[in-house]
């Protein structure tokens, strides 16, 4: 190595050593101002004691932080300081922390604060009794209970809280409660982003507003927009309606909710349960819409009436609910069933309407198939429109009325191909206390075919007649007696002499194969159901521990550099939890005796 190269090498080494020395010095805690300086080796060996004067507090700096206190004890060899009395720590223009006591290591850059701790940044304010602040990771952590205030998003309290400042995210655990002017949220695991106001809920959680109470075990809520969605055992209670489903979206601005997959909506006042796989509910409008295997079940005495259609709507106040079923509507009760294009039921008046498609005229070749139909015991009734009346108080069937093209058929059970038939313009029916048809009146242009039998049920003959009106009395579903009024003609034929072509009245349409005989039968004509896959939210994923491996390495390094003193724990780790791998399960750390 020539002389010039040697000199250059020495200069470089000197510059490096000088830079390292300066860097080392920059990492040292500095006292910028103090009113008084004392040394007390007996109580504070190796420390200098700084005290404020009447003009200002002790001013301490380290890298980009400034700290002020009434009193500070500085251990220069350990690069460690304890600050007492109206302590304030400021980091740039982002963090402002005040407390009664702070201890801070220049090696670990970990601060421990206690006593009325308040940490502020531009987004929120944390208040707690004890707080850890890691300047390297830019994270704050409390585990003795704390409160976070975030402008319009509200106030959040929890047993454990952690603030990840770089992504402006809070993670709260145990007894978490958020309160603002619009809602109160309770949860055990709660992620909150302070810049957006978005909250993610895990475990049993509730969101309560003036209009609703939402429960879920996984959910999301936008505290600014006041919208969210609930997953996993989700439920929304709108006073007299309870909405359940795999996924619930809700907008608290409009008191609106929509639900997807395995939906159940319970009307607690009217004892009605509606199920399906997509629904929308407007609370303020008292409106419910549901589709995809939609089914409404209303309890009546010891029975229930079930209504199914492609789409079901329920509207009106609780004392005046109106239920509308659109397209392929069917109803089933143990003693009554029916089918129509649309069914409308008014729970206040007790009127249920089975309505024909308006686009089908009576002359349309499909109109017969499309006519509303009802079955009661052995009787089938059809017509252009059917009205069924029930007593809204006793909930018993009262009467029915068939408009236009009324036709009633019952099979003669003792013959292979015999049917009792009556048709006319309109039909009026009355039910007995057992919800069985007792009397039927066919009015205007009445025609009838009856299989007449004696008391031994032997066939006497087939009775065919025309009249102005026919009244039939039923018993146990069978014809007990009948009377014709203003009869035009009529004959009783032996079965052997009765013309085969005349065994059916015009418009005869026996539709027994369509009759729902169970709840399951209501769905037998539905197309296959393909439910959407709900992606939802990710499962709860624990953050890395606040006291992670990197932090512990910093603390170990600080302890190794500290002077040996067998009478006390190393200062850098003395206020750490006993088991930092799971600090949230440990007792509250004890503050130093002089705090």
């Amino acid at each position: 190595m020539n002389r010039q190269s040697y000199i250059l090498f020495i200069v470089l080494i000197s510059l490096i050593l000088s830079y390292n020395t300066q860097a080392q010095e920059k990492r040292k805690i500095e006292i910028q101002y103090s009113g008084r300086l004392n040394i007390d080796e007996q109580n504070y060996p190796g420390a200098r004691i700084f005290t404020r004067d009447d003009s200002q507090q002790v001013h301490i700096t380290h890298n980009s932080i400034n700290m002020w206190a009434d009193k500070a004890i500085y251990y220069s060899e350990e690069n460690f300081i304890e600050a007492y009395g109206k302590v304030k720590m400021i980091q740039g223009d982002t963090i402002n922390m005040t407390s009664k006591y702070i201890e801070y290591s220049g090696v670990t850059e970990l601060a421990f604060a206690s006593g009325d701790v308040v940490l502020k940044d531009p987004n929120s304010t944390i208040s707690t009794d004890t707080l850890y602040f890691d300047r390297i990771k830019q994270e704050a952590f409390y585990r003795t209970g704390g409160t976070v205030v975030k402008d319009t998003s509200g106030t959040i309290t929890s047993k454990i809280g952690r603030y990840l400042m770089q992504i402006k995210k809070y993670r709260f655990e145990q007894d978490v409660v958020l309160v603002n002017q619009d809602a109160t949220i309770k949860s055990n695991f709660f992620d909150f982003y302070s810049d957006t106001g978005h909250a993610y809920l895990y475990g049993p959680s509730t969101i309560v507003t003036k209009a609703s109470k939402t429960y879920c075990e996984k959910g999301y809520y936008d505290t600014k927009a006041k919208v969210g969605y609930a997953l996993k055992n989700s439920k929304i209670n709108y006073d007299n309606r309870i909405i359940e489903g795999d996924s619930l979206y809700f907008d608290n601005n409009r008191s609106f909710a929509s639900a997807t997959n395995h939906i159940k909506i319970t009307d607690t006042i009217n004892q009605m349960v509606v199920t399906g796989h997509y629904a929308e509910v407007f609370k303020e409008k008292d409106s419910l819409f549901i589709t995809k295997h939609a089914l409404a079940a209303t309890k009546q005495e010891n029975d229930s009436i079930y209504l199914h259609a492609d789409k079901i709507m329920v509207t009106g106040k609780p004392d005046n609910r109106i239920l509308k079923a659109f397209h392929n509507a069917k109803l089933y009760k143990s003693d009554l069933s029916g089918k129509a294009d649309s069914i409308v039921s008014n729970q206040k008046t007790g009127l249920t309407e089975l309505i024909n498609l308006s686009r089908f005229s009576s002359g349309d070749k499909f109109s017969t198939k499309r006519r509303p139909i009802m079955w009661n015991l052995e009787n089938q009734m059809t017509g252009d429109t059917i009205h069924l009346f029930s007593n809204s108080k006793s909930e018993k069937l009262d009467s029915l009325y068939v408009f236009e093209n009324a036709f009633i058929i019952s099979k003669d059970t003792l013959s292979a191909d015999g049917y009792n038939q009556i048709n006319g313009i309109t039909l009026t029916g009355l039910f007995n206390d057992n919800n069985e048809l007792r009397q039927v009146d066919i009015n205007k242009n009445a025609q009838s075919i009856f299989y007449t039998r004696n008391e031994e049920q032997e066939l006497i003959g087939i009775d065919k007649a025309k009249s102005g009106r026919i009244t039939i009395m039923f018993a146990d579903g069978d014809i007990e007696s009948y009377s014709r009024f203003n009869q035009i003609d009529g004959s009783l034929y032996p079965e052997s002499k009765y013309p085969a072509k005349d065994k059916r009245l015009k418009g005869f349409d026996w539709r027994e194969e369509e009759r729902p005989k169970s709840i399951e039968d209501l769905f037998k004509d539905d197309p296959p159901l393909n439910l959407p896959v709900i992606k939802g939210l990710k499962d709860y994923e624990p953050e890395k521990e606040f006291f992670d491996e990197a932090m512990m390495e910093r603390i170990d390094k600080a302890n190794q550099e500290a002077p040996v003193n067998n009478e006390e724990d190393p200062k850098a780790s003395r206020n750490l939890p006993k088991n930092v791998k799971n600090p949230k399960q440990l007792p509250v750390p004890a503050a130093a005796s002089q705090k």
Side-chain angles (χ1 to χ4, degrees):
M1 180 182 294
N2 58 35
R3 179 178 177 81
Q4 186 177 1
S5 299
Y6 179 77
I7 293 172
L8 180 60
F9 176 75
I10 294 298
V11 170
L12 289 172
I13 292 297
S14 300
L15 288 172
I16 292 171
L17 291 174
S18 174
Y19 174 81
N20 286 338
T21 301
Q22 290 175 5
Q24 195 75 1
E25 289 175 355
K26 286 182 180 179
R27 288 199 295 268
K28 295 291 286 185
I29 296 171
E30 295 181 0
I31 308 298
Q32 301 294 333
Y33 179 85
S34 172
R36 290 184 293 275
L37 168 63
N38 294 310
I39 296 175
D40 185 351
E41 287 293 332
Q42 182 176 353
N43 292 310
Y44 306 103
R48 286 176 289 170
I49 305 169
F50 299 93
T51 310
R52 68 167 296 161
D53 57 21
D54 293 337
S55 63
Q56 67 180 76
Q57 291 181 294
V58 180
H59 183 194
I60 307 146
T61 61
H62 181 252
N63 292 347
S64 61
I65 68 162
N66 286 272
M67 189 186 309
W68 291 266
D70 291 342
K71 177 182 177 181
I73 301 173
Y74 178 41
Y75 299 87
S76 58
E77 289 189 36
E78 295 178 73
N79 201 14
F80 186 89
I81 197 162
E82 300 173 2
Y84 300 88
K86 297 181 180 180
V87 185
K88 180 165 65 175
M89 175 186 284
I90 296 178
Q91 176 182 274
D93 58 356
T94 58
I95 300 297
N96 186 323
M97 183 167 67
T98 61
S99 64
K100 293 180 179 179
Y101 172 83
I102 288 180
E103 60 182 43
Y104 175 76
S105 168
V107 179
T108 65
E109 297 193 54
L110 176 66
F112 170 79
S114 67
D116 298 332
V117 184
V118 177
L119 186 149
K120 295 182 179 181
D121 74 353
N123 296 285
S124 53
T125 300
I126 303 174
S127 301
T128 183
D129 183 60
T130 57
L131 182 78
Y132 297 91
F133 173 36
D134 184 352
R135 294 189 59 230
I136 301 296
K137 294 189 295 184
Q138 288 294 289
E139 291 185 16
F141 172 73
Y142 64 80
R143 61 189 187 89
T144 59
T147 300
V148 174
V149 178
K150 173 65 175 75
D151 50 64
T152 57
S153 295
T155 299
I156 307 169
T157 58
S158 67
K159 178 70 180 297
I160 298 169
R162 186 171 172 185
Y163 184 29
L164 292 76
M165 299 172 186
Q166 293 178 338
I167 58 175
K168 297 180 176 60
K169 173 185 175 180
Y170 281 94
R171 168 150 284 194
F172 300 102
E173 298 181 38
Q174 294 187 23
D175 303 326
V176 188
V177 180
L178 182 151
V179 179
N180 62 25
Q181 62 182 358
D182 302 304
T184 297
I185 304 174
K186 296 182 179 181
S187 181
N188 270 337
F189 299 93
F190 187 116
D191 284 355
F192 181 77
Y193 290 85
S194 62
D195 57 345
T196 62
H198 294 177
Y200 295 85
L201 316 175
Y202 303 95
S205 306
T206 58
I207 302 171
V208 179
T209 70
K210 292 180 181 179
S212 66
K213 180 178 180 180
T214 302
Y215 172 87
C216 66
E217 293 174 14
K218 186 191 295 184
Y220 160 82
Y221 187 64
D222 185 332
T223 58
K224 293 181 179 178
K226 294 181 282 188
V227 299
Y229 51 89
L231 305 168
K232 194 175 181 183
N233 297 323
S234 53
K235 179 187 300 185
I236 299 176
N237 192 328
Y238 278 149
D239 294 336
N240 53 65
R241 277 198 178 110
I242 300 172
I243 308 164
E244 302 171 76
D246 289 355
S247 175
L248 304 179
Y249 167 83
F250 53 93
D251 182 344
N252 288 332
N253 300 288
R254 301 183 293 157
S255 293
F256 167 80
S258 64
T260 304
N261 292 359
H262 303 103
I263 302 158
K264 177 183 177 182
I265 302 174
T266 304
D267 184 331
T268 56
I269 293 179
N270 293 286
Q271 295 185 300
M272 180 170 64
V273 176
V274 182
T275 58
H277 295 283
Y278 179 76
E280 295 180 357
V281 179
F282 287 90
K283 179 182 182 297
E284 300 302 325
K285 298 179 180 180
D286 283 294
S287 171
L288 158 65
F289 164 84
I290 192 163
T291 187
K292 294 187 177 181
H293 276 205
L295 179 71
T298 304
K299 187 175 181 181
Q300 293 186 345
E301 295 186 300
N302 297 321
D303 201 355
S304 292
I305 185 166
Y306 298 89
L307 182 60
H308 166 62
D310 293 347
K311 300 171 186 175
I312 291 177
M313 287 188 65
V314 183
T315 58
K317 297 294 182 182
D319 60 347
N320 192 23
R321 293 272 197 248
I322 296 176
L323 190 152
K324 301 176 182 179
F326 301 102
H327 309 306
N328 302 315
K330 303 174 187 176
L331 66 84
Y332 170 76
K333 194 171 179 286
S334 60
D335 48 21
L336 184 77
S337 57
K339 183 179 179 182
D341 177 70
S342 300
I343 297 176
V344 179
S345 179
N346 188 316
Q347 294 184 333
K348 183 177 182 178
T349 63
L351 171 62
T352 298
E353 303 173 69
L354 283 75
I355 303 170
N356 199 6
L357 280 172
S358 60
R359 68 176 182 270
F360 288 110
S361 67
S362 59
D364 192 292
K365 65 180 181 179
F366 295 109
S367 64
T368 301
K369 292 292 185 183
R370 292 288 182 170
R371 280 178 181 155
I373 183 169
M374 289 193 67
W375 295 270
N376 177 250
L377 299 179
E378 304 304 321
N379 302 298
Q380 171 188 298
M381 291 157 284
T382 57
D384 288 357
T385 301
I386 299 175
H387 284 189
L388 180 67
F389 297 89
S390 61
N391 188 308
S392 59
K393 293 183 179 179
S394 67
E395 297 180 339
K396 289 181 177 294
L397 293 175
D398 180 75
S399 58
L400 67 84
Y401 194 88
V402 180
F403 299 84
E404 304 297 326
N405 298 304
F407 208 126
I408 182 168
I409 307 172
S410 64
K411 192 173 189 310
D412 181 67
T413 56
L414 298 181
S415 61
D417 192 32
Y419 294 88
N420 296 305
Q421 306 157 56
I422 315 110
N423 68 9
I425 303 299
T426 61
L427 179 153
T428 303
L430 299 175
F431 292 89
N432 61 20
D433 289 340
N434 296 321
N435 290 336
E436 299 172 351
L437 269 177
R438 175 55 182 159
Q439 177 179 328
V440 169
D441 292 314
I442 301 289
N443 302 297
K444 297 181 182 180
N445 301 332
Q447 299 181 79
S448 63
I449 295 176
F450 294 125
Y451 281 69
T452 306
R453 297 181 180 276
N454 59 24
E455 293 182 357
E456 285 73 32
Q457 293 301 303
E458 296 171 338
L459 183 63
I460 298 172
I462 301 175
D463 183 345
K464 182 177 181 180
K466 294 180 181 179
S467 58
R469 178 167 64 90
I470 300 176
T471 296
I472 310 106
M473 304 301 293
F474 291 90
D476 299 322
D478 293 326
I479 296 174
E480 183 181 56
S481 64
Y482 57 88
S483 302
R484 296 187 180 96
F485 301 89
N486 299 323
Q487 183 170 333
I488 300 173
D489 60 26
S491 299
L492 180 65
Y493 300 91
E495 184 177 22
S496 60
K497 295 183 178 181
Y498 192 88
K501 64 182 180 63
D502 293 335
K503 285 188 175 181
R504 306 286 188 265
L505 294 176
K506 184 179 179 180
F508 177 91
D509 185 24
W510 182 245
R511 296 162 63 181
E512 182 67 17
E513 74 281 358
E514 299 178 43
R515 181 176 187 173
K517 297 180 180 179
S518 66
I519 301 170
E520 291 73 22
D521 281 353
L522 296 174
F523 301 94
K524 67 181 181 180
D525 298 327
D526 287 10
L529 184 64
N530 295 316
L531 299 181
V533 177
I534 299 172
K535 294 182 180 179
L537 299 170
K538 293 182 179 179
D539 291 333
Y540 178 81
E541 296 179 1
E543 296 279 354
K544 291 182 180 180
E545 295 290 347
F546 177 80
F547 301 98
D548 59 12
E549 186 176 348
M551 181 191 290
M552 296 311 299
E553 288 177 358
R554 284 184 270 143
I555 293 171
D556 289 343
K557 179 181 177 181
N559 289 339
Q560 291 169 9
E561 293 176 358
V564 177
N565 187 340
N566 295 327
E567 295 181 0
E568 64 176 18
D569 293 333
K571 293 180 178 59
S573 59
R574 67 183 180 184
N575 267 312
L576 295 182
K578 294 179 181 178
N579 180 0
V580 295
K581 292 182 179 180
N582 197 5
K584 59 190 176 187
Q585 295 182 353
L586 299 173
V588 178
S593 60
Q594 57 266 59
K595 299 171 192 174

